Amino acid sequence: MRTVAIVGGSLAGLRTAETLRKDGFDGVIHFIGEETHPPYDRLPLSKELLSGKLPQENISLVSDENFAALELQLHLGVRAVGFDAASKLVSLETGEEVAADGVCLATGARPRQLGDDNPQGVYVLRTLEDCLALKAEFAVQPRRVVVVGAGFIGAEVAATARGYGLEVTMVELLEVPLSRVLGEKMGQVMADIHLEQGVDLRVGVGVEGLNSKADGRVGSVKLTDGVEIPADVVVVGIGVIPNTEWLEGSGLTLENGIVCDETLLAAPGVVAAGDVARWPNRRFGEMMRVEHWDNAIEQGIAAARRLMAGPGQERPFEPVPWFWSDQYDRKLQLAGIPSPQGEVEVVTGSLEERRFAALYEKDGKVSGVLGMNRPRHVMKYRQLIVDGVGWDDALEFASTQG
Ligand SMILES: Cc1cc2nc3c(=O)[nH]c(=O)nc-3n(C[C@H](O)[C@H](O)[C@H](O)COP(=O)(O)OP(=O)(O)OC[C@H]3O[C@@H](n4cnc5c(N)ncnc54)[C@H](O)[C@@H]3O)c2cc1C
């Protein structure tokens, strides 16, 4: 293999490039990314950058020096518009074509929008530009903010907006926010935290439409229960769509992401990594597409190694996924795949003090760990999932951990 093309110039793509170099690949690496910036971190876009606690220059994922040392053929600010998996030819919007022996697809995901033609003042949050525009809005007082969707991004934005002292309404279709992921009991804990912080939380209701003012800006949000909520700014956090449209007709299987085998191979010499990749995780016996930071890193590393692997060196990618979310002064961490229908047991701390760790059960084993301001316990209990520990043994172990 002499030439690799990485499409998607963000977290997963960067880790792929770094791993190739670290493992000794000295051929050409084309690094193709639609955004003009060198890779930056999205995590602070809903947290410290949006709140103003972190300066913009601190969100780079790599220093200029280390980025240059990777000796990449950079195609930044350039969209890939087509791909042929058989010939491994990537077509760019400039009309250029990049031929490679190995390709890593890491084009991530983009936010779902509420509609096609939204008034001014309506935002999604994925890019640095989205964040800076929203930050400028939050700096103007007073502002009434409506957050649509109480998932992790919506909840973080709501918390940051409250930090600015803004009036915040959060609208959620489910009766209990995050209940599909965390179950009702833990979802209610998250809901209570927002209520205590003064968020006007509307649950079990959707958005009927957005009303504009005479100046073209959003004026209110009409809910499906007929209620109209005044709004100066609307932030839409209703999930993401994997960026696969440009791969139509490529010969790859596209189904809620790029479908890969258990080693992240999508076709011979073609791997995928990050938010866009869907693969069978053998540890959990299910197809997964994971939209978290740690997964993008680990998959970037694994995808690079898969490209370089000789016969018999292929390894399945079977992690116990984990991620965190910061809201107010609480750090939520979730490891594994919690089963909202199974048992859930608080094993450390208590829900009342908002500082706890809880285990989730599935098929007689521990399948997930949720922690709030308990990072040490979450990592310890995550190992129980890695080790496939039975439910009763897990509870017994936890009882010795304080
Ligand atoms: C606001 C925010 C906060 C977050 N907070 C957390 C958190 O607290 N914890 C956590 O675990 N995760 C968090 N995440 C998720 C985490 O950032 C993502 O999982 C991670 O960014 C995925 O990396 P990726 O490289 O797979 O995809 P992306 O970061 O989406 O990068 C894909 C890149 O590919 C480019 N691209 C797309 N299509 C093309 C094309 N056709 N040609 C060229 N380039 C293309 C895109 O422009 C983009 O730069 C957060 C995400 C956001 C948006």
Side-chain angles (χ1 to χ4, degrees), residues 327-365:
Q327 299 170 33
Y328 310 102
D329 59 349
R330 301 290 100 179
K331 182 178 281 297
L332 189 81
Q333 288 171 303
L334 185 65
I337 307 294
S339 167
Q341 291 79 30
E343 275 186 64
V344 50
E345 183 107 8
V346 175
V347 291
T348 303
S350 71
L351 299 184
E352 293 67 36
E353 60 176 334
R354 308 271 189 257
R355 188 160 174 265
F356 64 88
L359 300 182
Y360 288 81
E361 177 269 346
K362 190 182 180 201
D363 301 333
K365 288 186 173 175

Side-chain angles (χ1 to χ4, degrees), residues 1-6 13-31 62 65-74 300-301 303-305 307-308:
M1 204 171 59
R2 293 306 312 147
T3 306
V4 171
I6 297 172
L14 175 67
R15 294 301 179 242
T16 305
E18 288 174 342
T19 306
L20 287 171
R21 289 296 188 228
K22 191 164 155 254
D23 288 4
F25 177 72
D26 61 1
V28 175
I29 302 178
H30 290 278
F31 193 76
V62 57
E65 198 185 357
N66 289 345
F67 197 45
L70 292 172
E71 297 189 7
L72 307 175
Q73 299 281 318
L74 291 179
I301 295 169
R305 300 214 161 122
L307 273 185
M308 304 272 281

Side-chain angles (χ1 to χ4, degrees), residues 261-264 279-283 302 306 313-319:
D261 72 6
E262 60 189 25
T263 69
L264 303 177
W279 89 109
N281 185 333
R282 287 202 318 194
R283 186 185 299 277
R306 180 63 187 90
Q313 293 178 324
E314 310 89 350
R315 298 277 174 272
F317 183 69
E318 44 185 2

Side-chain angles (χ1 to χ4, degrees), residues 4 20 77 86 113 185 202 214 225 250-251 257 261 268 290 307 312 352 375 390:
V4 171
L20 287 171
Q113 305 271 354
K185 190 172 169 185
R202 310 285 176 108
D225 60 6
S250 62
D261 72 6
V290 177
L307 273 185
E352 293 67 36

Side-chain angles (χ1 to χ4, degrees), residues 10-305:
S10 186
L11 184 58
L14 175 67
R15 294 301 179 242
T16 305
E18 288 174 342
T19 306
L20 287 171
R21 289 296 188 228
K22 191 164 155 254
D23 288 4
F25 177 72
D26 61 1
V28 175
I29 302 178
H30 290 278
F31 193 76
I32 303 159
E34 189 180 6
E35 294 184 81
T36 48
H37 316 280
Y40 63 89
D41 205 350
R42 294 184 204 283
L43 304 185
L45 304 186
S46 50
K47 312 175 184 73
E48 302 92 337
L49 186 66
L50 186 60
S51 72
K53 285 189 193 122
L54 190 75
Q56 189 181 324
E57 50 277 18
N58 287 14
I59 69 165
S60 294
L61 281 170
V62 57
S63 69
D64 292 349
E65 198 185 357
N66 289 345
F67 197 45
L70 292 172
E71 297 189 7
L72 307 175
Q73 299 281 318
L74 291 179
H75 307 259
L76 294 183
V78 180
R79 243 177 95 68
V81 290
F83 180 57
D84 179 50
S87 60
K88 296 193 260 314
L89 205 64
V90 183
S91 313
L92 307 184
E93 62 179 344
T94 52
E96 217 181 324
E97 291 199 319
V98 173
D101 309 312
V103 178
C104 178
L105 304 167
T107 45
R110 65 183 183 281
R112 249 177 235 289
Q113 305 271 354
L114 257 190
D116 295 334
D117 194 17
N118 288 324
Q120 279 171 35
V122 179
Y123 296 88
V124 291
L125 186 51
R126 185 81 192 178
T127 64
L128 175 59
E129 288 75 15
D130 294 337
C131 174
L132 296 179
L134 195 55
K135 192 174 169 210
E137 293 273 10
F138 283 3
V140 181
Q141 305 269 353
R143 276 275 192 260
R144 292 162 303 180
V145 179
V146 175
V147 177
V148 181
F152 292 109
I153 301 284
E156 289 185 357
V157 170
T160 304
R162 287 299 296 141
Y164 275 86
L166 303 172
E167 206 177 290
V168 178
T169 304
M170 187 153 60
V171 180
E172 170 57 49
L173 208 49
L174 296 173
E175 291 295 337
V176 179
L178 294 169
S179 52
R180 283 206 195 119
V181 186
L182 304 181
E184 298 212 342
K185 190 172 169 185
M186 297 302 164
Q188 193 56 51
V189 174
M190 297 311 298
D192 290 345
I193 288 175
H194 287 282
L195 290 167
E196 286 159 15
Q197 295 286 340
V199 172
D200 178 4
L201 181 62
R202 310 285 176 108
V203 293
V205 67
V207 170
E208 178 84 37
L210 302 171
N211 298 324
S212 329
K213 295 188 292 195
D215 62 2
R217 275 192 69 95
V218 68
S220 65
V221 179
K222 179 114 190 271
L223 304 185
T224 47
D225 60 6
V227 172
E228 199 166 318
I229 303 178
D232 303 305
V233 181
V234 174
V235 187
V236 180
I238 53 173
V240 297
I241 303 167
N243 289 321
T244 56
E245 289 75 5
W246 69 285
L247 294 165
E248 295 292 345
S250 62
L252 300 176
T253 306
L254 307 175
E255 227 176 75
N256 180 23
I258 301 166
V259 177
C260 305
D261 72 6
E262 60 189 25
T263 69
L264 303 177
L265 198 72
V270 181
V271 290
D275 283 14
V276 77
R278 189 153 167 266
W279 89 109
N281 185 333
R282 287 202 318 194
R283 186 185 299 277
F284 294 92
E286 57 183 83
M287 290 295 287
M288 283 187 187
R289 191 173 64 73
V290 177
E291 298 162 2
H292 302 317
W293 195 83
D294 180 68
N295 182 69
I297 291 180
E298 295 301 327
Q299 270 188 342
I301 295 169
R305 300 214 161 122

